[in-house]
Amino acid sequence: MSDPTTPGTGNEVYAPMEHPATPLPLGPTPSTSLLVDVADEMLPERVRASAPRASGEVFKWCVTSASYDVEPKVVKAQFGDGYAQRRPAGINTQAPVWSISMKNIDLQTAGDVVQFLSDRNGVDIFNWTPPRMTTTVNVICPSWSFSYGDMMQDGSLLYALSFKFEQVFL
C-alpha cells in the first residue's frame, strides 16, 4: 500500500500555505506592482513559471476580418439509461475564440505583427478590442500563420496573416 504523502501518487496531502505577514499599504499607492509582486511570491515556483501573465501590451493593428466561435464549457454526467445531467463548468464558461485575418498588408506591418505575437509566445496575455466593439478583452494568441500575397504592378509584394485569439479571464 502506498503512503498518501508520497509525491506523484495522486494522493498527496498538502498543508495549507502560510501567507507572509506583509502588511499591505492603506490608501492609494503609486503602483499596483507591489501587490502583484507580493501575490506572485506566495505562489510556488512551478505555478509562477507556467501561469499566463498580463503584459499590458495592446494589439493595435487593424484587422481585415474577424469572426468568433463559442463553445460553452459544460460538465456532463451520462447515466446508463440514456439520461444525462449538464451544468456549467466554472464561472467563465463562454470564452470566445476569434479567427482573425489581415490581408494585403506590406512586409513591415506583417513583420511587426508577427514580432508582437512571437514576443508573447502564446502565453502572455495582451489587450485587444474586437471590431465594432468598445470593450477591450484579454487574449492570448496560440497560433498564427503567414502567407505570401499578390504582387502589385509597381513590383511591391503584399502579404497575409491569419491567427487565433482566445479570450482569457484574470
Side-chain angles (χ1 to χ4, degrees), residues 74-86:
V74 175
V75 174
K76 178 181 173 184
Q78 183 70 47
F79 299 99
D81 61 355
Y83 178 76
Q85 286 182 328
R86 292 171 183 83

Side-chain angles (χ1 to χ4, degrees), residues 77-163:
Q78 183 70 47
F79 299 99
D81 61 355
Y83 178 76
Q85 286 182 328
R86 292 171 183 83
R87 66 175 180 82
I91 56 172
N92 295 313
T93 60
Q94 296 185 19
V97 176
W98 290 85
S99 298
I100 301 165
S101 66
M102 297 175 71
K103 297 178 182 173
N104 299 326
I105 56 176
D106 61 28
L107 183 60
Q108 179 65 44
T109 303
D112 290 346
V113 172
V114 168
Q115 185 64 50
F116 178 86
L117 299 175
S118 294
D119 289 347
R120 309 282 110 34
N121 201 27
V123 175
D124 290 338
I125 299 166
F126 56 93
N127 298 318
W128 178 60
T129 304
R132 300 186 183 103
M133 294 185 167
T134 57
T135 305
T136 300
V137 294
N138 296 315
V139 295
I140 60 168
C141 182
S143 65
W144 59 91
S145 64
F146 175 88
S147 60
Y148 296 97
D150 298 326
M151 179 182 278
M152 303 302 291
Q153 287 181 344
D154 65 359
S156 62
L157 297 173
L158 297 177
Y159 301 91
L161 292 172
S162 60
F163 35 91

Side-chain angles (χ1 to χ4, degrees), residues 46-62:
R46 64 183 164 77
V47 173
R48 276 186 280 168
S50 64
R53 297 187 162 273
S55 67
E57 297 290 327
V58 176
F59 187 86
K60 61 184 178 183
W61 295 273
C62 183

